[in-house]
Amino acid sequence: MKRIKSDKIIFADQLFDGYVYFDNGIITDVTQKEIPVFKEYDLTGYYVSAGFIDIHTHGGGGNRFEGSVDEIVDGCNFHLMYGTTSICPTISAAALDSMAQSVENVRKAMNDPRVKGTIIGAHLEGPYLSRKQSGAQCADFISDPNEQEYLPLLERYGDTIAR
């Protein structure tokens, strides 16, 4: 078992002075009790908090989440350096075959051991959006929902698409 020692562990309503114990990447206890461990990280004076979850981001560190598997891996690891431990790589509205390839690359990245955080799944931002509230999406790829288009995508990638 390992532990983090800090006088600034962030709780919802207070800062806590104590230890965060974890084993195999899972938090087992947050307490002031001293339990024997084989490794301690002394972060006294530093804030310790739960990791951030980003459910809408198009990339990071110069990497696009609609790019290659390597770009997705590098983008996720870039976000991890700044506290985002779980992420949904966002794919913009595009031609359906292009979106499908991006989802396939997210699927491969989800299983890539180089990813240090957690990829929750792909976030598809379109193509079924309101044209009046489409933001920066390319209007050429915005369409009304079409069951014959999206069902094959969901059937093939239902385990990868999170949003």
Side-chain angles (χ1 to χ4, degrees):
M1 184 169 346
K2 300 176 186 177
R3 73 178 171 206
I4 297 170
K5 175 183 178 181
S6 177
D7 55 342
K8 295 181 179 179
I9 300 168
I10 299 175
F11 278 35
D13 59 347
Q14 67 177 330
L15 291 179
F16 182 77
D17 184 356
Y19 303 95
V20 178
Y21 290 91
F22 57 100
D23 196 23
N24 294 321
I26 297 172
I27 295 173
T28 58
D29 203 359
V30 180
T31 182
Q32 291 181 322
K33 294 179 198 170
E34 289 197 38
I35 301 169
V37 294
F38 71 86
K39 185 157 191 166
E40 177 180 273
Y41 302 92
D42 188 349
L43 299 178
T44 301
Y46 293 93
Y47 290 98
V48 174
S49 73
F52 299 113
I53 300 170
D54 196 335
I55 61 172
H56 185 158
T57 182
H58 291 272
N63 299 285
R64 297 174 335 113
F65 287 147
E66 293 152 333
S68 68
V69 174
D70 287 340
E71 284 184 276
I72 296 167
V73 169
D74 291 346
C76 290
N77 289 342
F78 173 83
H79 280 275
L80 182 64
M81 291 187 322
Y82 297 94
T84 301
T85 58
S86 299
I87 197 164
C88 290
T90 302
I91 299 166
S92 296
L96 227 48
D97 60 336
S98 175
M99 291 181 76
Q101 182 60 57
S102 294
V103 174
E104 177 66 32
N105 288 345
V106 169
R107 173 185 273 169
K108 289 176 182 173
M110 288 173 77
N111 297 305
D112 193 308
R114 296 175 298 161
V115 174
K116 295 178 178 75
T118 299
I119 299 175
I120 298 167
H123 167 203
L124 300 185
E125 192 174 18
Y128 312 120
L129 301 167
S130 166
R131 290 185 190 278
K132 294 177 183 176
Q133 296 179 337
S134 60
Q137 300 298 315
C138 179
D140 295 344
F141 297 112
I142 295 173
S143 63
D144 292 330
N146 179 329
E147 188 173 344
Q148 290 183 346
E149 279 183 344
Y150 72 77
L151 274 182
L153 188 68
L154 289 177
E155 287 170 357
R156 184 168 181 191
Y157 296 110
D159 63 335
T160 305
I161 298 170
R163 297 186 68 215

